[in-house]
Each structure stands twice: as structure tokens, then as C-alpha cells.
Amino acid sequence: MAMRIVVEDCINCAACEEDCPTESISKGEDAFTVNAETCTECEDEYPEPKCEEMCPIDGCVVKAETPHRR
Ligand code: SF4
Ligand code: SF4
């Protein structure tokens, strides 16, 4: 499993990047992006995905299987 970032909601603040235990988040062209290959959803590190917790925008970091809202 992996998280994904809703591109149009991301404000490129980088708050999600610092605490990712697997270094799976990086700056992309229009928004930050999650590497689905390495993201573990923080399974062994935190009770909840850390990036989702750190992101100041509600609904910006969601589980990869969550349908697009728009
Ligand atoms: S869920 Fe955890 S491992 Fe995956 S991108 Fe977010 S902080 Fe990194
Ligand atoms: S914390 Fe949220 S808004 Fe900030 S860069 Fe990461 S995904 Fe984008």
C-alpha cells in the first residue's frame, strides 16, 4: 500500500517530507509526490501515516486507493 498526494491541493510546504521514515516523499514538478514503491504507510513506525498527520491541508494526503474527490 501507499499514500498519494492530491496534486491540486498541495501547497508545496514540505511539511510531509521531513518525517517520512522511508524517504518516500519528494518535491515533484507541480506538487510533492509519494514513491509508491517505498511507502509503507508508516506501518512499522507510527500508528498513522505520518505525512497525512503533518500535512496542513485536510484531505491532501490520502491512501492511494481512495477515489479522487473531483
Ligand atoms: S505513509 Fe509514511 S512512509 Fe508513506 S509517504 Fe507517508 S510518511 Fe512516508
Ligand atoms: S505537507 Fe501537504 S501541502 Fe505540504 S508539501 Fe506535503 S502534501 Fe503538500
Side-chain angles (χ1 to χ4, degrees):
M1 279 310 154
M3 303 300 287
R4 73 176 174 87
I5 292 168
V6 178
V7 171
E8 54 267 43
D9 288 351
C10 178
I11 57 169
N12 288 293
C13 70
C16 55
E17 188 175 21
E18 198 172 315
D19 286 324
C20 176
T22 59
E23 296 183 2
S24 297
I25 297 186
S26 56
K27 190 160 173 35
E29 206 160 303
D30 298 318
F32 275 65
T33 60
V34 175
N35 183 338
E37 302 289 312
T38 57
C39 172
T40 60
E41 288 189 5
C42 291
E43 207 171 59
D44 299 326
E45 320 283 339
Y46 301 106
E48 297 293 334
K50 197 69 175 173
C51 51
E52 189 180 355
E53 187 187 323
M54 297 308 291
C55 182
I57 311 293
D58 268 356
C60 181
V61 186
V62 292
K63 289 205 162 118
E65 73 270 24
T66 305
H68 203 278
R69 292 178 296 142
R70 295 175 196 177

